[in-house]
Amino acid sequence: MAAEAVGAWFLEIAETTGAMTVLLAKVLARLVPPRVDARELVKNLYKMGVRSLPIVAVTALFTGAIMVIQAATIVKRYGAEGLLGWGAGFGTLREIAPLLTALMISGRVGANNTAELGTMVVTEQLDALRVLAIDPISFLVAPRFIAIVSTLFMMTLFADALALLGAAYTGDALLGVSPTTFYNGLTSGLLNFGDVATGLVKSVVFGLVIALTSCHFGLATKGGAPGVGRAVNATVMASAAGIFVLDYLTSFALGD
Amino acid sequence: MIQFKNIVKSFGPKPVLNDVSFDVPTGSVFFIIGASGVGKSVLIKHLVGLLYRDSGEIWLDDEDISKFDESRMGAIRKKCAMVFQHSTLFDSMTCAENVALPLRKHKHLSLREALAEARERLKVVRMQEFADRYPPEMGDGMRKRVAIARALTVDPKYVLFDEPTTSLDPVSARRVDALIRELSDKLGVTSIVVSHDLTSLFAIADRIVMLYRGKVRLQGSRADFKSTEDGVVQQFIHGRATGPFEL
Amino acid sequence: MTPTLARPNASSPHEPELEPLEHAYEPLGFVGSLGAAGIDLIVGARELYSVFVRTLHYVVRGRREKGAVIRQMYEIGNRSFLFLSITMGFIGMILVYQAGLQAKRIVPDFTLLGATFLELLVRDFAASLGALMLATRVGAGIAAEIGSMVVTEQIDALRMCAADPIDFLIKPRFLASIVMTLVLVVCAGAISFVAGGLTANIAFDVPLRTFFNHELVDFGDMAIGLTKCLAYGAAIPIVSGYCGLSTFGGSEGVGWATTRAVVNTSLAIIILNFFISGAGFLVFPG
């Protein structure tokens, strides 16, 4: 019984992964030579990017603050105020900012994308495209794909900056570490460009995960309005799980 | 000329079409009638590659299209347009943008040219005043006319109508009927209409085929249908509650 | 900020693929839209507060339906366990790996790696990251379920039977979520710690005996961690239930409600985390 359930679960994961790989191949085939609808791309970049700024900003500011609060205990214990910037910055840039930005974008953009594609599928709008001899992949999926990946990359850059800002001012308020000391700690050489780059590479990987899962579950929607809800649910879970697994793998692959 | 030859289609264990064959002559208004769920819509979706048959052949202008893959279907879909039952306009685009989309994609017009052309084409269906409205704001009849304009953008030889008058008020329904008749008379377009609207049937049909329990029950002209002795057909076209007709 | 917290009232038919609410504010200009967002935030917060108060009211005096809470505990708890174990296991591995890299740069001394990790896990990461995962799994589920009931008019049917949907739908989820969040966070935290220990052992040769060290965890850490569990456990069903109840606009509505639930619940957790961590630091500065 339990073994059966686990078996079925594995089969399901294998099937989903396979379908996503096929989708990825189809999207990549539309990129060389580029057959992507430019108008849809711009529309989606605006909708996904610009409109996600507020929640990414709030998340980043609070995350930076929380990182400093967590580091504060340790800093106080060792009296190492000068290291606060480095302590909070290391985790923020390499790990927490890309991760939390990805989770928020998955919730907002990924889930939205699934709901949108899912609605188009259940109302036959996708069939309508095909009947007009317009390729749904290059018209709908590829622009969203590119928009999601580039949105997450840019949002991570933005979140990095805001998180450090939040961290600096929380350090000032909570521990009396001046923002100047904080930034000195950041730039004194213990942190380098590689740390920022690690975070940014991760953001691209997470962007691919979100784009693939959200497009896949959106296109695979079945069964009317409740089906759209189920698809959204499946997307956010699969994205979260995928993000963590790939986070681990990229962390190891990139190393120090 | 479209020919269906021995089409068999089932969904899982449930057989829907069981050996269906008939010809659609060019230039006519051709009606496919039958009870709800008999497989009328299923049948015409085979023509544009939205569904694939289990066995049988579909000939369209001397090509067997039943085995065409998605990429070869592209050419067929430009020849054979479809108007969906719920019109299925793109909700995120205005009427003009809906019509402009295939123009932009297939005639390689710029956005501005495509929108201008789209307005011209909306005039044909008398929808030019609504060019900048979004589909959810409009009534079913208006959406249907925009959907027809959109289907005609590729200058198709054949147009498939999936229950074009279902859920329309009587006035809108008769206007759609007139439009379909006009397409055939003025442009020589062949229309295949899936319907169980008896009023349209007797107003505009040139030829009719009736599907019953997965098979063709009768095909012929309006006169043939009126004069048939077949009790099942009689019951259907007179809309009687009792008789030999089984669902 | 965040118009997403606001109640969706004016559904503009123009671009239903955008969130209609935000779209409706377009002509207001920047300052206008800020103001509108602010008003919506206040309205949203007030309604959220009202849902919370009514839930508490029904917890004390509502009718008791046998098995409803247990069923929800199964739904929220058991069915999230696998998902939470996997994600939290990976989090443990990632965090320890990153912390190890970080420590290596100044002092290659890993003796306190486990103890510090455990302290952070108890005080923050187990509860906060676990709750973020629960927000996606449980929050989306609650919103989708209640949202479908709204669009199919089942909620109206409930009202016709003189049953308050809050008593009937949100209360059992509220109670179940508080209990199960605590249980799941403890389990997931343990899994995370063990996964972290194995990673430290493999990647940095830290002996397991050195890693499994709990001497840095004190009463303050436990108190903060516990407070977070309770706060998140309460916030998830309230915020996502509210998003579900404010579903509008037929078939697409359920999708949007689910999306809003995930985003708003995650934001609620991050903001609660900030305040509880800050207060915790001031109360237990050690």
Side-chain angles (χ1 to χ4, degrees):
Chain A
M1 171 65 198
E4 222 168 83
V6 170
W9 189 64
F10 266 106
L11 279 182
E12 206 184 297
I13 289 182
E15 197 185 318
T16 310
T17 320
M20 282 186 201
T21 316
V22 172
L23 184 64
L24 180 65
K26 281 186 185 165
V27 171
L28 291 180
R30 265 71 173 186
L31 296 183
V32 270
R35 276 169 291 155
V36 178
D37 193 274
R39 246 177 69 111
E40 281 287 306
L41 179 62
V42 173
K43 215 162 101 186
N44 279 298
L45 274 174
Y46 174 75
K47 201 174 65 188
M48 293 172 175
V50 179
R51 289 181 172 265
S52 303
L53 279 174
I55 68 155
V56 170
V58 173
T59 311
L61 284 171
F62 278 99
T63 306
I66 293 165
M67 289 300 283
V68 163
I69 297 175
Q70 299 310 335
T73 332
I74 301 165
V75 167
K76 268 206 159 168
R77 197 177 293 153
Y78 300 110
E81 263 89 12
L83 287 179
L84 182 66
W86 168 76
F90 188 90
T92 308
L93 293 176
R94 282 183 76 105
E95 195 55 57
I96 300 293
L99 188 67
L100 285 185
T101 310
L103 287 179
M104 292 315 270
I105 292 287
S106 154
R108 209 200 112 89
V109 172
N112 231 341
N113 188 37
T114 305
E116 222 171 272
L117 288 178
T119 306
M120 290 188 80
V121 169
V122 297
T123 57
E124 289 189 308
Q125 290 182 52
L126 220 73
D127 282 348
L129 266 185
R130 290 170 61 200
V131 163
L132 290 169
I134 296 170
D135 176 22
I137 304 274
S138 59
F139 183 70
L140 280 180
V141 179
R144 279 150 208 270
F145 207 87
I146 299 172
I148 290 176
V149 176
S150 41
T151 293
L152 188 56
F153 181 79
M154 291 184 283
M155 288 298 140
T156 306
L157 268 177
F158 178 65
D160 276 351
L162 279 183
L164 292 180
L165 193 75
Y169 286 96
T170 315
D172 192 13
L174 213 62
L175 294 168
V177 178
S178 75
T180 327
T181 320
F182 185 88
Y183 284 117
N184 284 340
L186 268 181
T187 50
S188 64
L190 283 165
L191 274 178
N192 51 37
F193 178 69
D195 295 317
V196 181
T198 306
L200 292 178
V201 171
K202 282 184 180 175
S203 79
V204 173
V205 174
F206 299 161
L208 285 172
V209 172
I210 297 173
L212 262 183
T213 37
S214 67
C215 290
H216 165 74
F217 283 106
L219 293 177
T221 305
K222 278 196 195 78
V228 178
R230 274 199 302 276
V232 172
N233 210 333
T235 300
V236 286
M237 279 179 64
S239 301
I243 285 171
F244 282 116
V245 174
L246 284 172
D247 187 3
Y248 174 71
L249 297 178
T250 22
S251 288
F252 253 114
L254 294 173
D256 198 353
Chain B
M1 178 81 154
I2 296 173
Q3 292 171 299
F4 290 94
K5 292 185 181 168
N6 313 101
I7 299 298
V8 176
K9 173 76 182 173
S10 45
F11 291 109
K14 191 180 147 223
V16 177
L17 300 172
N18 185 10
D19 196 19
V20 171
S21 308
F22 59 87
D23 298 353
V24 180
T26 305
S28 60
V29 174
F30 190 93
F31 267 62
I32 302 174
I33 61 172
S36 304
V38 75
K40 308 181 296 273
S41 305
V42 169
L43 183 64
I44 62 165
K45 281 182 178 174
H46 284 76
L47 269 176
V48 284
L50 291 179
L51 291 171
Y52 287 90
R53 87 279 175 275
D54 299 338
S55 69
E57 289 172 3
I58 301 165
W59 288 80
L60 188 139
D61 294 345
D62 309 318
E63 278 179 300
D64 180 7
I65 62 163
S66 56
K67 293 186 203 72
F68 276 22
D69 60 9
E70 191 75 15
S71 58
R72 291 182 72 191
M73 259 309 164
I76 304 301
R77 287 169 180 164
K78 285 180 204 165
K79 205 155 47 169
C80 198
M82 177 162 173
V83 178
F84 285 80
Q85 181 174 0
H86 303 288
S87 301
T88 316
L89 298 174
F90 304 114
D91 290 339
S92 56
M93 304 179 187
T94 62
C95 293
E97 284 169 348
N98 261 287
V99 179
L101 179 66
L103 291 169
R104 205 153 60 82
K105 290 284 169 187
H106 299 313
K107 307 228 156 143
H108 307 288
L109 300 179
S110 71
L111 182 63
R112 185 191 301 253
E113 292 164 347
L115 282 173
E117 172 78 22
R119 279 169 204 279
E120 286 304 311
R121 286 175 179 264
L122 283 171
K123 256 184 210 159
V124 176
V125 292
R126 288 177 277 287
M127 285 294 294
Q128 67 272 30
E129 290 146 51
F130 301 92
D132 295 317
R133 297 275 286 275
Y134 285 88
E137 301 170 6
M138 305 189 312
D140 286 340
M142 294 152 102
R143 281 207 294 257
K144 188 69 75 184
R145 279 189 278 161
V146 177
I148 293 173
R150 187 179 69 182
L152 294 177
T153 50
V154 291
D155 299 322
K157 234 177 122 180
Y158 305 95
V159 184
L160 317 178
F161 293 90
D162 192 354
E163 311 218 358
T165 52
T166 309
S167 84
L168 297 192
D169 63 84
V171 176
S172 303
R174 299 296 77 81
R175 284 186 181 155
V176 169
D177 286 349
L179 205 59
I180 295 173
R181 190 66 253 179
E182 224 177 282
L183 285 179
S184 169
D185 295 346
K186 288 193 184 158
L187 303 172
V189 169
T190 309
S191 301
I192 300 181
V193 184
V194 160
S195 182
H196 42 220
D197 183 339
L198 299 171
T199 321
S200 329
L201 179 79
F202 289 115
I204 62 168
D206 290 326
R207 287 195 67 79
I208 306 164
V209 61
M210 178 170 167
L211 296 184
Y212 179 65
R213 317 198 76 186
K215 292 192 184 294
V216 173
R217 183 73 182 197
L218 180 68
Q219 52 176 321
S221 63
R222 273 179 277 175
D224 295 334
F225 268 72
K226 278 187 176 150
S227 61
T228 180
E229 302 278 304
D230 187 334
V232 170
V233 179
Q234 280 293 328
Q235 191 193 341
F236 186 82
I237 63 172
H238 290 111
R240 293 195 199 105
T242 52
F245 195 98
E246 293 172 45
L247 282 174
Chain C
M1 99 74 228
T2 159
T4 38
L5 260 175
R7 186 192 183 88
N9 37 21
S11 107
S12 146
H14 285 273
E15 294 190 43
E17 67 171 301
L18 298 183
E19 275 148 326
L21 181 88
E22 290 169 83
H23 188 78
Y25 291 128
E26 211 93 281
L28 288 176
F30 179 68
V31 178
S33 55
L34 266 187
I39 291 170
D40 270 310
L41 190 65
I42 293 168
V43 172
R46 222 178 54 197
E47 294 203 13
L48 206 58
Y49 177 71
S50 128
V51 172
F52 180 55
V53 170
R54 275 154 72 197
T55 310
L56 286 184
H57 168 83
Y58 285 120
V59 167
V60 181
R61 19 192 22 177
R63 27 168 229 102
R64 307 220 183 281
E65 195 203 348
K66 258 195 183 161
V69 176
I70 299 291
R71 206 163 46 238
Q72 288 306 325
M73 281 165 100
Y74 176 77
E75 194 64 35
I76 293 174
N78 299 34
R79 293 173 63 99
S80 309
F81 182 73
L82 190 61
F83 177 62
L84 213 67
S85 314
I86 291 175
T87 48
M88 291 300 284
F90 274 98
I91 288 182
M93 299 198 277
I94 299 162
L95 288 178
V96 166
Y97 185 67
Q98 295 285 5
L101 289 182
Q102 190 173 10
K104 218 157 112 184
R105 285 201 196 169
I106 1 177
V107 273
D109 168 25
F110 295 117
T111 44
L112 279 181
L113 184 62
T116 316
F117 177 57
L118 187 59
E119 186 188 15
L120 280 177
L121 206 56
V122 169
R123 200 170 52 196
D124 187 37
F125 287 135
S128 300
L129 292 176
L132 276 178
M133 290 301 99
L134 269 182
T136 31
R137 163 76 183 78
V138 174
I142 291 178
E145 200 183 336
I146 296 185
S148 308
M149 294 181 75
V150 172
V151 297
T152 54
E153 298 183 318
Q154 291 178 53
I155 298 284
D156 293 338
L158 266 182
R159 287 218 178 86
M160 297 300 289
C161 309
D164 189 332
I166 300 221
D167 185 16
F168 194 77
L169 294 172
I170 298 193
K171 186 192 75 183
R173 288 172 174 78
F174 177 76
L175 292 174
S177 164
I178 288 184
V179 176
M180 291 321 262
T181 305
L182 185 63
V183 174
L184 284 172
V185 163
V186 171
C187 293
I191 290 171
S192 195
F193 188 57
V194 172
L198 294 177
T199 311
N201 188 267
I202 294 164
F204 305 110
D205 291 324
V206 180
L208 288 179
R209 213 172 265 271
T210 321
F211 192 88
F212 292 131
N213 173 348
H214 58 82
E215 67 188 24
L216 283 179
V217 178
D218 56 18
F219 172 74
D221 298 324
M222 299 286 278
I224 294 172
L226 199 65
T227 315
K228 283 181 181 172
C229 281
L230 293 179
Y232 301 154
I236 293 171
I238 298 282
V239 176
S240 54
Y242 164 71
C243 290
L245 284 176
S246 56
T247 304
F248 65 101
S251 61
E252 304 100 291
V254 184
W256 310 141
T258 316
T259 308
R260 268 204 322 281
V262 175
V263 172
N264 290 348
T265 320
S266 310
L267 268 182
I269 288 169
I270 290 172
I271 294 171
L272 280 173
N273 185 7
F274 171 73
F275 285 112
I276 298 174
S277 296
F281 179 74
L282 297 175
V283 178
F284 307 102

